[in-house]
Amino acid sequence: MKKPIIIGLVAVAAVAGGLPYASGYLAESQTRQSLVDLNSRSPYGKMEIVKYERGYKATYAEYKWVTNPELEQDLPIGEVVIGCDGVHKMLSFDYSCTLKNMGLQDEQIRAAFKGKEPVTISGNIDLMGEETSQMTINPFDITTATNVRITSDGGRMSSKANASLSEVEVDGTFSPVAVVDAGGGEVRISESTLTMDGAMYEKRFFLGDSKFNVDHITVVAPELEAPLTVKGVSMVSSGDVENGNYSGDGSLNIGEFTLPAALNKRTNSDVSVKDVSIGVSFADTPFAPISKLSDYSQKLAKQMSESGSVDPGMVGMDEQFLKEQVVALLKKDLAINLWVNSDVNDGALESHVNTLLTKDITEEFISELETGGALAAMKLLQQVDLDILVAIPNSVSELSPEVAMMAAMSNKFVADDAGLTAKLILKDGAITLNGEPTSIENLMR
């Protein structure tokens, strides 16, 4: 065998022999940095490394959660210890973690989880820092102090993220949950799923698409003649930051349910409700003040935790700082839209509020609100494009005549064959109500 080949093989063997050590070193570095990030954001305590024993092919580590003394005094938790085993491979690091001690309630918690810890976590970190993990939620049977029993077969959740957290994926499936009280009431939640696909912006804020879905929720109660089943429940959100501005939306959605006649005293008939959507969207929202407000809320929570106070004013809340962040949010082109829609007995119930700031009203708006009162601030709203719609179908008026009476008395609605509708539009300083010109003063009457 030629000498260069021998030297090459020796070099490859040397590199390969060092790879397990490298994977262990990388895993320790990533773990320590994650703890620094976690502790910098946690207002309630911190995670400490009790021991970290890294060998050539394996690592054992223990971590301890330390609650802030003032919070521990009010809500005793005790010592929570996590133990993790790691195996160094040539190109990756495998780990598994369990709760060794769950504080003062360790025995009761293990009993509720049938002798096991609530969750176990395992995963893998490769030499590029990409991490995949799996969390298993063990079956549980919990009885509360009020004699409510909660049972489930648990669930599992997997995640995948690159080292920079610019790519994050989460996929979870959770077993059905049953909640039964002593009075005969019961709530049964079907299998549910969670999906997330996006990134951790600034390594703190998840941005992307997420969806939590429940096929159906069934309620059993003595006052109901039959079980009430709500189908197709989901919470959906999406968001992104571009050029420093956040745009995103979120909604709660319900496919359908039937309100039984026993709960409808007005007509003593079933009420069919379908396609419910309640949501909000934002566009071109400055993200910097959102980030600062998030940081400040955590700081405030930590101060309250350390002082034992439940009143933010008692820990010196910085009102000037809060005002500055609100002012920073009120910029030109900021759009906020709200909506509530559904079908009630085949009648379309619709409502939305769509707004668009046409200029930076900022300090002017705040000043007018503080010195001129609500009417002066309302006049400034003429610098905002506004679209408000409320459509009440006849099917809702039949169920609640009071709604129709209040709408008629307000002089803001018009009637047609479908029901009652009010549409208010502010555009370029002009105001119309149901297509007719009006003014802020008339609207306030």
Side-chain angles (χ1 to χ4, degrees):
M1 185 177 292
K2 294 182 179 181
K3 187 176 181 180
I5 296 177
I6 296 174
I7 294 175
L9 291 174
V10 171
V12 170
V15 171
L19 285 176
Y21 179 85
S23 68
Y25 175 80
L26 176 65
E28 180 178 357
S29 300
Q30 195 159 320
T31 297
R32 291 185 182 276
Q33 184 58 51
S34 296
L35 289 181
V36 170
D37 295 340
L38 171 67
N39 291 334
S40 67
R41 298 193 300 267
S42 172
Y44 306 112
K46 60 182 180 179
M47 189 76 76
E48 295 181 349
I49 297 178
V50 178
K51 65 171 67 173
Y52 202 104
E53 300 171 347
R54 174 165 57 87
Y56 173 66
K57 290 187 176 181
T59 290
Y60 177 74
E62 284 188 5
Y63 310 92
K64 179 173 66 174
W65 170 257
V66 180
T67 307
N68 288 338
E70 293 77 9
L71 180 60
E72 180 72 24
Q73 184 176 355
D74 296 334
L75 183 64
I77 297 174
E79 188 174 274
V80 179
V81 178
I82 302 171
C84 296
D85 289 296
V87 177
H88 309 175
K89 295 184 176 181
M90 288 184 62
L91 300 176
S92 64
F93 175 89
D94 290 347
Y95 64 86
S96 61
C97 300
T98 59
L99 285 161
K100 295 189 64 176
N101 188 296
M102 289 173 280
L104 301 177
Q105 302 296 318
D106 185 87
E107 185 176 339
Q108 295 91 326
I109 294 173
R110 290 188 187 278
F113 283 84
K114 303 180 180 181
K116 298 182 178 180
E117 59 275 4
V119 298
T120 57
I121 299 175
S122 61
N124 172 277
I125 303 173
D126 67 19
L127 291 178
M128 300 301 294
E130 184 171 292
E131 181 175 1
T132 59
S133 65
Q134 299 80 38
M135 180 178 71
T136 300
I137 304 172
N138 289 314
F140 57 85
D141 187 337
I142 301 171
T143 301
T144 69
T146 56
N147 206 29
V148 175
R149 187 183 179 192
I150 308 170
T151 59
S152 175
D153 286 335
R156 60 94 188 157
M157 188 161 64
S158 61
S159 64
K160 181 178 180 181
N162 61 4
S164 64
L165 299 181
S166 61
E167 298 177 4
V168 177
E169 297 177 12
V170 176
D171 182 18
T173 301
F174 311 97
S175 298
V177 178
V179 182
V180 182
D181 64 26
E186 183 176 353
V187 177
R188 298 192 294 264
I189 304 172
S190 71
E191 181 179 271
S192 56
T193 59
L194 170 67
T195 57
M196 301 171 67
D197 186 0
M200 296 300 295
Y201 186 71
E202 297 179 349
K203 294 190 176 181
R204 297 185 298 158
F205 305 98
F206 175 80
L207 295 176
D209 301 320
S210 68
K211 182 176 183 179
F212 179 72
N213 185 75
V214 180
D215 185 64
H216 62 269
I217 301 173
T218 300
V219 179
V220 178
E223 58 269 25
L224 298 176
E225 296 178 352
L228 169 61
T229 298
V230 181
K231 299 180 181 179
V233 181
S234 65
M235 289 183 286
V236 182
S237 68
S238 65
D240 195 11
V241 172
E242 186 174 348
N243 297 324
N245 292 327
Y246 169 80
S247 295
D249 59 74
S251 64
L252 168 65
N253 309 286
I254 298 174
E256 63 175 314
F257 66 93
T258 298
L259 193 67
L263 298 181
N264 175 19
K265 303 301 182 183
R266 177 67 65 181
T267 63
N268 293 316
S269 60
D270 290 348
V271 179
S272 171
V273 181
K274 299 179 180 179
D275 301 326
V276 179
S277 179
I278 304 171
V280 60
S281 69
F282 300 86
D284 293 323
T285 308
F287 194 79
I290 296 176
S291 177
K292 291 179 181 178
L293 286 170
S294 175
D295 291 342
Y296 185 73
S297 66
Q298 293 178 7
K299 177 183 176 182
L300 199 63
K302 184 175 183 178
Q303 291 174 339
M304 293 170 63
S305 172
E306 291 174 346
S307 67
S309 173
V310 295
D311 182 3
M314 297 298 291
V315 294
M317 185 170 62
D318 191 340
E319 295 183 2
Q320 179 60 32
F321 172 82
L322 295 176
K323 176 181 175 180
E324 290 173 355
Q325 303 316 309
V326 172
V327 165
L329 282 169
L330 296 174
K331 64 173 285 293
K332 186 178 184 297
D333 297 329
L334 168 63
I336 303 176
N337 304 323
L338 309 169
W339 68 87
V340 177
N341 300 319
S342 71
D343 284 346
V344 180
N345 283 347
D346 296 325
L349 174 65
E350 298 180 61
S351 64
H352 68 236
V353 178
N354 302 331
T355 66
L356 175 67
L357 293 187
T358 56
K359 63 172 291 187
D360 295 329
I361 59 175
T362 56
E363 286 94 343
E364 183 183 3
F365 179 83
I366 298 292
S367 176
E368 288 286 349
L369 187 62
E370 291 177 341
T371 61
L375 182 58
M378 286 292 289
K379 288 183 177 180
L380 278 175
L381 288 179
Q382 294 185 49
Q383 302 171 18
V384 177
D385 285 352
L386 184 65
D387 173 4
I388 300 177
L389 170 70
V390 178
I392 304 173
N394 291 326
S395 58
V396 171
S397 299
E398 292 168 359
L399 294 170
S400 180
E402 294 85 357
V403 172
M405 184 180 300
M406 291 176 61
M409 291 177 63
S410 72
N411 296 319
K412 304 293 189 299
F413 287 78
V414 294
D416 58 24
D417 292 341
L420 299 169
T421 303
K423 188 172 182 62
L424 174 68
I425 295 179
L426 281 72
K427 182 71 173 178
D428 299 329
I431 306 173
T432 61
L433 176 63
N434 300 320
E436 298 294 329
T438 187
S439 64
I440 289 289
E441 289 76 12
N442 288 336
L443 292 174
M444 297 291 288
R445 291 173 185 169

